[in-house]
Amino acid sequence: FFWCSVEGNPMGAEGIEITIDGVTVTSAFDGLALFEGLSIGEHNYTASFVGYETQTGTITIVDQNVEQFIIMIPVPTTFDAFFWCSVEGNPMGAEGIEITIDGETVTSAFDGLALFEGLSIGDHDYSASFDGYETQTGTISIVDQNVEQFIIMIPVPTTFDAFFWCSVEGNPMGAEGIEITIDGVTVTSAFDGLALFEGLSIGDHDYSASFDGYFTQTGT
C-alpha cells in the first residue's frame, strides 16, 4: 500500500504514478496506490508526478503486507548562484568584490563568496567590479540545479605599450633605421618600420623622430 501526498498538503494526492517491476499503478483520489500479490523479497519503486521530483526507494516484503508513505517534493523553479571571488596572484577569497545580476548587487564576504538566492531558470548576465581592477562580465545558465562561478579579478594596467610604424614620404613600406625618442629613451625602427616602446606610464609622452636626410618630427 502506497499512501501518496504532496509536500505542504497532508491529504492524499491523486495521479501519482508508482512503478514496481515494470508495473505502474496511479494513486486514487485518496492517495492510495495498491500493488497486489508482490513476492517476498525486496522491490525497488519509483514515484513520479508532473511538476514534482521523481522519488525512488525499496520496500521489503517478509511475511506480511507493507505500507509506504510517499511525499512528493515540487521541482524547484528557482536556484542559487555561488560566486567565488579572488584577485589575480592570490588564490584566497577576496572581500569587497561587487557582483551584479538583474540589477541586484551582492558584495563578496571575507571568504570571497557572493551568494545570489532564488534566481529563475534561464540565462543571467553578471558583472564583477572591484576598485583598481578591470570590470568582468559574463553569463551564468541555470537549468535544474544551483551553479558555481569562479571570478578572478585582473588589475587595471598601470603601463602600456606604444607602437610606432615608420616610413618615408613616397614609400608606404616600413623604413628601417628611424630613431624614435621618448623620455630620453631611443628605439630604432626595425626592417618592417616598427619601433616599440614597452611599459610607458599613463599620461602624455612627447616623442621625436629623426632620420638622416629627413626633417625631424615631434608629437605627443
Side-chain angles (χ1 to χ4, degrees):
F1 299 84
F2 285 84
W3 299 101
C4 306
S5 63
V6 297
E7 188 177 56
N9 185 352
M11 302 298 292
E14 184 176 5
I16 297 173
E17 295 184 341
I18 311 294
T19 300
I20 296 179
D21 301 336
V23 176
T24 298
V25 175
T26 302
S27 63
F29 71 94
D30 57 358
L32 173 63
L34 171 61
F35 286 82
E36 296 180 291
L38 291 177
S39 60
I40 291 172
E42 293 185 344
H43 297 269
N44 297 323
Y45 70 83
T46 62
S48 60
F49 196 36
V50 175
Y52 290 78
E53 297 179 352
T54 297
Q55 295 194 37
T56 60
T58 302
I59 57 172
T60 302
I61 295 179
V62 180
D63 56 6
Q64 59 184 341
N65 298 331
V66 297
E67 292 186 357
Q68 182 73 22
F69 292 89
I70 300 289
I71 301 175
M72 303 300 291
I73 300 171
V75 172
T77 57
T78 62
F79 296 89
D80 300 336
F82 299 83
F83 285 82
W84 300 101
C85 306
S86 62
V87 297
E88 189 177 56
N90 185 352
M92 302 298 291
E95 183 175 4
I97 296 173
E98 294 185 342
I99 311 293
T100 300
I101 296 179
D102 300 336
E104 178 186 358
T105 299
V106 174
T107 303
S108 62
F110 70 95
D111 57 358
L113 172 63
L115 170 62
F116 286 83
E117 296 180 291
L119 292 178
S120 59
I121 292 172
D123 292 339
H124 297 268
D125 296 328
Y126 70 83
S127 65
S129 59
F130 196 36
D131 285 344
Y133 291 79
E134 296 180 350
T135 296
Q136 294 195 38
T137 60
T139 302
I140 56 171
S141 295
I142 294 180
V143 180
D144 56 5
Q145 59 184 344
N146 299 332
V147 298
E148 292 187 356
Q149 182 73 25
F150 293 89
I151 301 289
I152 301 176
M153 302 300 292
I154 300 172
V156 173
T158 57
T159 62
F160 296 88
D161 300 335
F163 299 84
F164 287 82
W165 301 100
C166 306
S167 62
V168 296
E169 188 177 54
N171 184 353
M173 301 298 292
E176 184 176 4
I178 296 174
E179 294 183 342
I180 311 293
T181 300
I182 295 178
D183 299 336
V185 176
T186 298
V187 175
T188 302
S189 62
F191 70 94
D192 57 358
L194 172 63
L196 170 62
F197 287 82
E198 296 180 291
L200 292 178
S201 59
I202 293 173
D204 291 339
H205 297 269
D206 295 330
Y207 69 85
S208 65
S210 60
F211 195 38
D212 285 345
Y214 291 79
F215 288 111
T216 296
Q217 293 196 39
T218 60
T220 301

Short mmCIF file of all heavy atoms in Angstrom, two decimals, residues 172-208:
data_model
loop_
_atom_site.label_atom_id
_atom_site.label_comp_id
_atom_site.label_asym_id
_atom_site.label_seq_id
_atom_site.Cartn_x
_atom_site.Cartn_y
_atom_site.Cartn_z
N PRO A 172 55.29 53.62 -49.07
CA PRO A 172 54.43 53.19 -47.97
C PRO A 172 55.01 52.03 -47.14
O PRO A 172 54.48 51.69 -46.09
CB PRO A 172 53.15 52.74 -48.67
CG PRO A 172 53.62 52.29 -50.03
CD PRO A 172 54.76 53.21 -50.39
N MET A 173 56.08 51.43 -47.63
CA MET A 173 56.67 50.31 -46.89
C MET A 173 57.38 50.83 -45.65
O MET A 173 57.83 51.97 -45.59
CB MET A 173 57.66 49.56 -47.79
CG MET A 173 57.05 49.00 -49.06
SD MET A 173 55.75 47.79 -48.75
CE MET A 173 56.73 46.45 -48.07
N GLY A 174 57.49 49.99 -44.63
CA GLY A 174 58.18 50.37 -43.42
C GLY A 174 59.65 50.70 -43.69
O GLY A 174 60.30 50.07 -44.54
N ALA A 175 60.16 51.68 -42.97
CA ALA A 175 61.54 52.12 -43.15
C ALA A 175 62.37 51.77 -41.92
O ALA A 175 61.97 52.05 -40.78
CB ALA A 175 61.59 53.63 -43.41
N GLU A 176 63.51 51.15 -42.15
CA GLU A 176 64.40 50.76 -41.06
C GLU A 176 65.37 51.89 -40.72
O GLU A 176 65.79 52.65 -41.60
CB GLU A 176 65.20 49.52 -41.47
CG GLU A 176 66.10 48.95 -40.40
CD GLU A 176 66.79 47.66 -40.83
OE1 GLU A 176 66.62 47.25 -41.99
OE2 GLU A 176 67.50 47.06 -39.98
N GLY A 177 65.68 52.03 -39.42
CA GLY A 177 66.71 52.97 -39.00
C GLY A 177 66.20 54.31 -38.53
O GLY A 177 67.01 55.18 -38.17
N ILE A 178 64.89 54.53 -38.49
CA ILE A 178 64.35 55.79 -37.97
C ILE A 178 64.39 55.73 -36.45
O ILE A 178 63.97 54.75 -35.83
CB ILE A 178 62.92 56.01 -38.48
CG1 ILE A 178 62.92 56.16 -40.01
CG2 ILE A 178 62.27 57.22 -37.81
CD1 ILE A 178 61.54 56.23 -40.63
N GLU A 179 64.93 56.78 -35.84
CA GLU A 179 65.12 56.80 -34.39
C GLU A 179 63.98 57.57 -33.71
O GLU A 179 63.76 58.76 -33.99
CB GLU A 179 66.47 57.43 -34.03
CG GLU A 179 67.65 56.61 -34.50
CD GLU A 179 68.98 57.20 -34.07
OE1 GLU A 179 69.00 58.41 -33.71
OE2 GLU A 179 70.00 56.49 -34.09
N ILE A 180 63.27 56.88 -32.81
CA ILE A 180 62.19 57.49 -32.04
C ILE A 180 62.69 57.64 -30.61
O ILE A 180 63.21 56.67 -30.02
CB ILE A 180 60.92 56.63 -32.06
CG1 ILE A 180 60.55 56.21 -33.50
CG2 ILE A 180 59.76 57.37 -31.39
CD1 ILE A 180 60.13 57.33 -34.38
N THR A 181 62.50 58.82 -30.04
CA THR A 181 62.96 59.08 -28.68
C THR A 181 61.79 59.52 -27.81
O THR A 181 61.04 60.44 -28.18
CB THR A 181 64.06 60.14 -28.65
OG1 THR A 181 65.17 59.70 -29.43
CG2 THR A 181 64.52 60.40 -27.22
N ILE A 182 61.61 58.84 -26.68
CA ILE A 182 60.60 59.20 -25.68
C ILE A 182 61.26 59.15 -24.30
O ILE A 182 61.90 58.15 -23.95
CB ILE A 182 59.40 58.23 -25.70
CG1 ILE A 182 58.64 58.34 -27.02
CG2 ILE A 182 58.44 58.52 -24.54
CD1 ILE A 182 57.46 57.37 -27.13
N ASP A 183 61.11 60.22 -23.54
CA ASP A 183 61.60 60.26 -22.16
C ASP A 183 63.08 59.87 -22.09
O ASP A 183 63.52 59.16 -21.18
CB ASP A 183 60.78 59.34 -21.26
CG ASP A 183 59.30 59.74 -21.20
OD1 ASP A 183 59.00 60.92 -21.47
OD2 ASP A 183 58.46 58.86 -20.90
N GLY A 184 63.86 60.31 -23.09
CA GLY A 184 65.28 60.04 -23.09
C GLY A 184 65.68 58.67 -23.59
O GLY A 184 66.87 58.35 -23.67
N VAL A 185 64.70 57.84 -23.93
CA VAL A 185 64.97 56.50 -24.45
C VAL A 185 64.75 56.51 -25.96
O VAL A 185 63.71 56.98 -26.45
CB VAL A 185 64.05 55.45 -23.80
CG1 VAL A 185 64.29 54.08 -24.42
CG2 VAL A 185 64.29 55.41 -22.31
N THR A 186 65.72 55.97 -26.72
CA THR A 186 65.63 55.94 -28.17
C THR A 186 65.50 54.50 -28.66
O THR A 186 66.25 53.62 -28.25
CB THR A 186 66.87 56.58 -28.82
OG1 THR A 186 66.94 57.96 -28.43
CG2 THR A 186 66.81 56.52 -30.34
N VAL A 187 64.53 54.29 -29.54
CA VAL A 187 64.31 53.00 -30.18
C VAL A 187 64.38 53.21 -31.68
O VAL A 187 63.79 54.15 -32.21
CB VAL A 187 62.96 52.39 -29.79
CG1 VAL A 187 62.70 51.09 -30.57
CG2 VAL A 187 62.89 52.12 -28.30
N THR A 188 65.12 52.32 -32.35
CA THR A 188 65.29 52.44 -33.80
C THR A 188 64.35 51.48 -34.51
O THR A 188 64.25 50.30 -34.13
CB THR A 188 66.75 52.12 -34.18
OG1 THR A 188 67.62 53.01 -33.49
CG2 THR A 188 66.95 52.30 -35.68
N SER A 189 63.68 51.98 -35.53
CA SER A 189 62.72 51.14 -36.25
C SER A 189 63.41 49.95 -36.91
O SER A 189 64.54 50.06 -37.40
CB SER A 189 61.96 51.96 -37.30
OG SER A 189 62.85 52.46 -38.28
N ALA A 190 62.72 48.80 -36.90
CA ALA A 190 63.26 47.59 -37.50
C ALA A 190 62.99 47.57 -39.00
O ALA A 190 62.46 48.54 -39.56
CB ALA A 190 62.63 46.38 -36.81
N PHE A 191 63.30 46.46 -39.66
CA PHE A 191 63.18 46.36 -41.11
C PHE A 191 61.74 46.59 -41.58
O PHE A 191 61.50 47.03 -42.70
CB PHE A 191 63.68 45.00 -41.59
CG PHE A 191 62.77 43.86 -41.21
CD1 PHE A 191 61.78 43.41 -42.07
CD2 PHE A 191 62.89 43.25 -39.97
CE1 PHE A 191 60.94 42.37 -41.70
CE2 PHE A 191 62.05 42.21 -39.60
CZ PHE A 191 61.07 41.77 -40.47
N ASP A 192 60.77 46.28 -40.70
CA ASP A 192 59.37 46.46 -41.08
C ASP A 192 58.82 47.82 -40.67
O ASP A 192 57.63 48.09 -40.79
CB ASP A 192 58.51 45.36 -40.46
CG ASP A 192 58.64 45.30 -38.93
OD1 ASP A 192 59.42 46.09 -38.36
OD2 ASP A 192 57.95 44.46 -38.31
N GLY A 193 59.71 48.69 -40.15
CA GLY A 193 59.30 50.03 -39.77
C GLY A 193 58.77 50.14 -38.34
O GLY A 193 58.37 51.22 -37.91
N LEU A 194 58.79 49.04 -37.58
CA LEU A 194 58.25 49.06 -36.22
C LEU A 194 59.28 49.53 -35.21
O LEU A 194 60.40 49.01 -35.16
CB LEU A 194 57.76 47.67 -35.83
CG LEU A 194 57.34 47.50 -34.36
CD1 LEU A 194 56.14 48.38 -34.04
CD2 LEU A 194 57.02 46.04 -34.05
N ALA A 195 58.86 50.49 -34.36
CA ALA A 195 59.64 50.89 -33.18
C ALA A 195 58.71 50.75 -31.99
O ALA A 195 57.68 51.42 -31.91
CB ALA A 195 60.15 52.32 -33.33
N LEU A 196 59.08 49.90 -31.06
CA LEU A 196 58.19 49.55 -29.96
C LEU A 196 58.74 50.06 -28.63
O LEU A 196 59.89 49.78 -28.27
CB LEU A 196 58.03 48.02 -29.88
CG LEU A 196 57.32 47.46 -28.65
CD1 LEU A 196 55.88 47.97 -28.57
CD2 LEU A 196 57.35 45.94 -28.66
N PHE A 197 57.89 50.80 -27.92
CA PHE A 197 58.20 51.23 -26.55
C PHE A 197 57.28 50.44 -25.60
O PHE A 197 56.06 50.50 -25.73
CB PHE A 197 57.97 52.73 -26.37
CG PHE A 197 59.00 53.59 -27.05
CD1 PHE A 197 58.90 53.87 -28.40
CD2 PHE A 197 60.06 54.12 -26.33
CE1 PHE A 197 59.86 54.66 -29.03
CE2 PHE A 197 61.01 54.91 -26.95
CZ PHE A 197 60.91 55.17 -28.32
N GLU A 198 57.87 49.75 -24.66
CA GLU A 198 57.10 48.94 -23.72
C GLU A 198 57.08 49.59 -22.34
O GLU A 198 58.05 50.22 -21.92
CB GLU A 198 57.70 47.53 -23.61
CG GLU A 198 57.64 46.74 -24.91
CD GLU A 198 58.23 45.35 -24.76
OE1 GLU A 198 59.46 45.25 -24.59
OE2 GLU A 198 57.46 44.37 -24.80
N GLY A 199 55.95 49.42 -21.65
CA GLY A 199 55.87 49.84 -20.25
C GLY A 199 55.81 51.33 -20.03
O GLY A 199 56.32 51.83 -19.02
N LEU A 200 55.15 52.07 -20.92
CA LEU A 200 55.01 53.51 -20.71
C LEU A 200 53.90 53.77 -19.69
O LEU A 200 52.84 53.14 -19.72
CB LEU A 200 54.67 54.21 -22.02
CG LEU A 200 55.78 54.24 -23.09
CD1 LEU A 200 55.28 54.94 -24.35
CD2 LEU A 200 57.03 54.95 -22.56
N SER A 201 54.16 54.73 -18.80
CA SER A 201 53.17 55.05 -17.78
C SER A 201 51.99 55.81 -18.39
O SER A 201 52.09 56.40 -19.48
CB SER A 201 53.81 55.91 -16.69
OG SER A 201 54.33 57.11 -17.25
N ILE A 202 50.87 55.78 -17.67
CA ILE A 202 49.69 56.51 -18.11
C ILE A 202 49.99 58.02 -18.10
O ILE A 202 50.61 58.53 -17.18
CB ILE A 202 48.50 56.18 -17.19
CG1 ILE A 202 48.10 54.71 -17.38
CG2 ILE A 202 47.33 57.12 -17.44
CD1 ILE A 202 47.06 54.22 -16.40
N GLY A 203 49.57 58.71 -19.15
CA GLY A 203 49.81 60.15 -19.25
C GLY A 203 50.31 60.52 -20.63
O GLY A 203 50.28 59.71 -21.56
N ASP A 204 50.74 61.78 -20.78
CA ASP A 204 51.25 62.28 -22.06
C ASP A 204 52.76 62.05 -22.16
O ASP A 204 53.49 62.22 -21.17
CB ASP A 204 50.98 63.78 -22.21
CG ASP A 204 49.49 64.07 -22.36
OD1 ASP A 204 48.75 63.15 -22.75
OD2 ASP A 204 49.08 65.21 -22.07
N HIS A 205 53.20 61.65 -23.35
CA HIS A 205 54.63 61.43 -23.60
C HIS A 205 55.01 62.11 -24.92
O HIS A 205 54.44 61.78 -25.98
CB HIS A 205 54.95 59.93 -23.69
CG HIS A 205 54.69 59.19 -22.41
ND1 HIS A 205 55.66 59.02 -21.45
CD2 HIS A 205 53.56 58.58 -21.95
CE1 HIS A 205 55.15 58.32 -20.43
NE2 HIS A 205 53.88 58.06 -20.71
N ASP A 206 55.93 63.05 -24.88
CA ASP A 206 56.43 63.70 -26.09
C ASP A 206 57.43 62.78 -26.78
O ASP A 206 58.20 62.06 -26.13
CB ASP A 206 57.11 65.03 -25.74
CG ASP A 206 56.13 66.03 -25.16
OD1 ASP A 206 54.94 65.97 -25.53
OD2 ASP A 206 56.55 66.84 -24.31
N TYR A 207 57.39 62.79 -28.10
CA TYR A 207 58.35 61.98 -28.86
C TYR A 207 58.97 62.83 -29.96
O TYR A 207 58.43 63.85 -30.39
CB TYR A 207 57.68 60.75 -29.47
CG TYR A 207 56.70 61.05 -30.59
CD1 TYR A 207 57.13 61.21 -31.91
CD2 TYR A 207 55.35 61.19 -30.34
CE1 TYR A 207 56.24 61.51 -32.92
CE2 TYR A 207 54.44 61.48 -31.34
CZ TYR A 207 54.90 61.63 -32.64
OH TYR A 207 54.01 61.93 -33.64
N SER A 208 60.13 62.37 -30.41
CA SER A 208 60.75 62.95 -31.60
C SER A 208 61.21 61.80 -32.49
O SER A 208 61.58 60.73 -32.00
CB SER A 208 61.95 63.84 -31.25
OG SER A 208 62.99 63.08 -30.67
#
